[in-house]
Amino acid sequence: MKLLVATTNKHKLKEIRHILGVKVEGRKLNVKENGKTFEENAIKKARAGARKFKQLTIADDSGLMVNCLDGLPGVKSARFATPPTPKNLCQKLLRVMRRCRANRRAMFVCVIALARPDGRVRTFKGIVRGKIIEEMRGRHGFGYDPVFVPNGSKKTFAQMSPAFKNRISHRARALKMLKSYLWARSSVG
Ligand code: IMP
């Protein structure tokens, strides 16, 4: 089965390849991510890819939701700082969270949409809860990995090996559901 990934984010593509453990092709698409939810954006990207390339296509829309910021940066995670380098994103988050001393709770959310060329689509959602620490730690990963510590761990995502992050992450959880779905319907497409 051939699977395309509609993304411009090379870090996501690398993680998706590693987690799925099968060959997937990445395709860049110009899609405006103006949805109000991760589901809306993931569906938009996956449908655009499936229509354009006439192939089964997945897309990932993900982000960080911080409790004391009422869910922000959420769907705006990628554009929360300019330019959106990991350092700028993390530093801005730490700055706006100075008023959040008592409540550092946050969660990473990943929605994977699977679209067929005829427009039919399904979504799979993975969540990892944790907290935002007060400084950046670690050199692996991307985005907000240096400031996020998942529940049950003392390390940030950026301090974990990529292989370990890829076993427990929000993306791993969503892709695990996708894998089971595809396994159960191996005639899909
Ligand atoms: P989008 O899905 O293209 O809107 O981008 C999601 C943004 O959320 C990324 O650019 C990162 O800043 C952040 N993000 C999503 N998943 C992760 C992750 O696994 N680690 C760190 N940051 C992430």
Side-chain angles (χ1 to χ4, degrees):
M1 182 199 312
K2 228 175 161 188
L3 201 55
L4 287 186
V5 186
T7 186
T8 51
N9 185 323
K10 63 179 194 304
H11 301 285
K12 280 188 191 174
L13 183 61
K14 196 170 169 194
E15 289 193 359
I16 291 170
R17 282 191 169 131
H18 188 264
I19 295 165
L20 284 181
V22 293
K23 237 182 148 184
V24 289
E25 272 180 65
R27 283 278 197 281
K28 290 187 180 169
L29 274 179
N30 238 342
V31 175
K32 214 166 182 201
E33 295 184 34
N34 53 3
K36 286 194 173 56
T37 62
F38 296 111
E39 281 82 358
E40 263 182 71
N41 284 334
I43 288 172
K44 204 171 168 190
K45 290 186 268 188
R47 272 205 175 126
R51 281 216 185 97
K52 181 161 182 194
F53 302 109
K54 304 200 178 355
Q55 269 185 48
L56 202 55
T57 301
I58 61 168
D60 164 318
D61 202 70
S62 46
L64 183 69
M65 300 184 76
V66 175
N67 211 283
C68 91
L69 302 179
D70 292 327
L72 287 175
V75 288
K76 297 195 176 98
S77 293
R79 308 174 292 280
F80 191 54
T82 2
T85 59
K87 197 171 169 197
N88 283 349
L89 291 172
C90 290
Q91 284 181 345
K92 177 160 179 202
L93 184 68
L94 295 180
R95 203 165 54 243
V96 300
M97 283 186 70
R98 277 192 200 133
R99 62 187 170 88
C100 308
R101 292 264 147 166
N103 177 6
R104 309 285 297 183
R105 278 179 291 146
M107 64 183 181
F108 262 127
V109 181
C110 172
V111 173
I112 298 286
L114 169 73
R116 302 168 206 242
D118 66 7
R120 277 184 296 162
V121 71
R122 285 193 79 98
T123 58
F124 308 88
K125 189 176 198 164
I127 291 176
V128 171
R129 291 176 203 279
K131 65 174 182 195
I132 303 299
I133 54 168
E134 293 187 9
E135 76 282 323
M136 294 172 70
R137 277 197 232 140
R139 58 189 175 83
H140 297 297
F142 68 103
Y144 302 90
D145 282 346
V147 293
F148 181 81
V149 174
N151 287 347
S153 173
K154 288 193 166 63
K155 290 183 180 175
T156 65
F157 268 172
Q159 289 176 301
M160 296 171 182
S161 69
F164 191 77
K165 178 192 169 191
N166 287 340
R167 279 209 294 277
I168 64 163
S169 75
H170 46 311
R171 189 158 292 109
R173 289 184 173 173
L175 288 169
K176 215 170 170 182
M177 288 183 248
L178 167 78
K179 254 180 165 174
S180 312
Y181 174 81
L182 290 175
W183 260 103
R185 294 162 181 76
S186 40
S187 61
V188 85

